[in-house]
């Protein structure tokens, strides 16, 4: 879907089943506190695709803006060491990154591993930010001098951000079975 070096794909061009799948892996049903077995059914029957497209677009924009801000703040250089445990948890949750047993359903934080989970999440978030730094440079033609609004409007970057949790989930499943 490349035309003259630009993608024609966007969230609005995805099929409804694809939108529902991406919404599930990006935790859009999580605030509803539904059992995981009911989440797919609820998303498919009760929420219009246009609504999910809007939510997914907003989520992608929020992640892109937050990634750019964290990179700009130098969090990548210090491996997210300047972030509190709660900020790390929120950042990982928003991006669909693994949070391990650090969070409970009530939202309270549990760290029985003596800080190991927090360090793991810092490392995972740092890896994500490093990948996004490369993606941001690609969008800006190898220059970080472009504005955040350019990054947010980039449809290919939005699609990448939204597909990463599904890719991670698939890779984790393959690792378990091998």
């Amino acid at each position: 879907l490349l035309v003259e070096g630009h993608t024609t794909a966007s969230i609005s061009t995805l099929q409804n089943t694809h939108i529902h799948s991406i919404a599930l892996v990006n935790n859009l049903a999580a605030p509803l506190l539904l059992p995981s077995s009911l989440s797919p059914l609820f998303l498919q029957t009760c929420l219009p695709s246009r609504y999910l497209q809007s939510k997914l677009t907003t989520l992608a924009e929020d992640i892109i803006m937050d990634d750019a801000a964290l990179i700009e703040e130098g969090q990548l250089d210090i491996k997210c060491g300047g972030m509190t445990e709660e900020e790390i948890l929120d950042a990982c949750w928003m991006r669909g990154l693994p949070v391990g047993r650090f969070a409970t359903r009530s939202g309270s934080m549990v760290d029985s591993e003596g800080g190991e989970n927090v360090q793991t999440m810092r490392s995972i978030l740092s890896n994500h930010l490093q990948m996004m730094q490369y993606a941001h440079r690609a969008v800006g033609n190898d220059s970080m001098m472009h504005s955040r609004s350019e990054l947010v409007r980039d449809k290919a970057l939005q699609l990448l951000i939204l597909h990463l949790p599904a890719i991670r989930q698939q890779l984790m499943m393959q690792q378990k079975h091998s």
Side-chain angles (χ1 to χ4, degrees), residues 64-66 68-70 72-73 146-153:
I64 291 167
M65 290 292 285
D66 197 47
L70 292 172
E72 198 174 288
E73 288 173 10
H146 50 278
S147 69
R148 289 185 193 169
S149 62
E150 285 179 70
L151 291 173
V152 168
R153 286 192 308 263

Side-chain angles (χ1 to χ4, degrees), residues 17 19 36-37 44 59 65 77 86-87 91 99 106 115 122 126-127 144 146 166 176-177:
T17 54
I19 290 167
S36 60
S37 60
Q44 291 171 359
L59 176 64
M65 290 292 285
D77 299 331
E86 189 171 330
E87 289 170 334
V99 294
S106 67
R122 284 185 201 283
S126 294
N127 290 339
M144 285 299 282
H146 50 278
K176 285 182 182 178
H177 296 301

Side-chain angles (χ1 to χ4, degrees), residues 4 19 27 42 49 51-52 56 61 74-75 79 84 92 98 104 108-109 124-125 131 151 153 162 166:
E4 296 179 15
I19 290 167
N27 299 319
F42 181 80
S49 292
Y51 173 79
L52 292 174
L56 287 168
E61 290 171 351
Q75 291 297 334
K79 302 197 183 306
T84 66
C92 288
T104 63
S108 63
M109 294 191 282
I124 291 169
L125 181 58
M131 182 174 50
L151 291 173
R153 286 192 308 263
L162 293 173

Side-chain angles (χ1 to χ4, degrees), residues 1 7-16 18-19 50 53 159:
L1 293 170
T7 183
T8 59
S10 69
I11 296 167
S12 62
T13 62
L14 299 176
Q15 294 180 355
N16 288 346
H18 196 136
I19 290 167
R50 291 282 179 217
Q53 286 173 348
L159 289 171

